[in-house]
Amino acid sequence: QVQLVQSGAEVKKPGASVKVSCKASGYTFSSYGITWVRQAPGQGLEWMGWISNNNGNTGYSQKFQGRVTMTTDTSTTTAYMELRSLRSDDTAVYYCVRDRYTGVSTPDYWGQGTLVTVSS
Amino acid sequence: DVVMTQSPLSLSVTLGQPASISCRSSQSLVYSDGGTYLNWFQQRPGQSPRRLIYGVSKRDSGVPDRFSGSGSGTDFTLKIISVEAEDVGIYYCMQGTHWPRTFGPGTKVDIK
């Protein structure tokens, strides 16, 4: 069965970086992409970006451009999302979601989420 | 960016009664291939979101048939024909046609 297992909760200081991992199993990793979505406490879902596991192409929200890097390691079927220069309003649960590897977006299977807390 | 709006933002429903959520996009969601990439997600309290509907009206495996999606262009609807207790949560629409992808603000459904 399709599973996306994310790394554990993180506490970071303002200005630091965080790298969240997302280990995929149960499907052909390179035939799909990964979308990253975050959810601040009590708030809605926010699309951050996407990476193709097929060729590494990425698409980022302008809001995070320059601060976020999404990568993928096909040898370990793991996707990563690194967010730099963290601020208190980056405190959120970060989700990885399986998606198409190109074209349009139809995200289906979600990871369990990773809580990132940014606090001095 | 394509703005997704939902109404109502909150819905209190009697068990067994129907519920309807509207989702509107600021631009047509028809893609160059002729498809329309509008998804619906359910997020139960304390859980990760779960996709219910993709491509406007295609129900995911395991989703009860009391859920249905409809619409076209810029106007879409999620309907629950008979609300059950397990349907409590927040429902989000999301467009997957245009960059960047965008979510609606969510509609909170609870039981009256």
Side-chain angles (χ1 to χ4, degrees), chain A residues 67-103:
Chain A
R67 266 204 318 142
V68 71
T69 302
M70 295 175 189
T71 56
T72 189
D73 183 342
T74 54
S75 67
T76 60
T77 66
T78 302
Y80 299 91
M81 186 283 299
E82 181 181 33
L83 190 61
R84 300 177 291 279
S85 302
L86 290 168
R87 308 184 286 253
S88 58
D89 62 359
D90 290 318
T91 294
V93 175
Y94 290 77
Y95 294 101
C96 61
V97 197
R98 190 181 77 162
D99 203 342
R100 294 200 184 190
Y101 74 91
T102 190

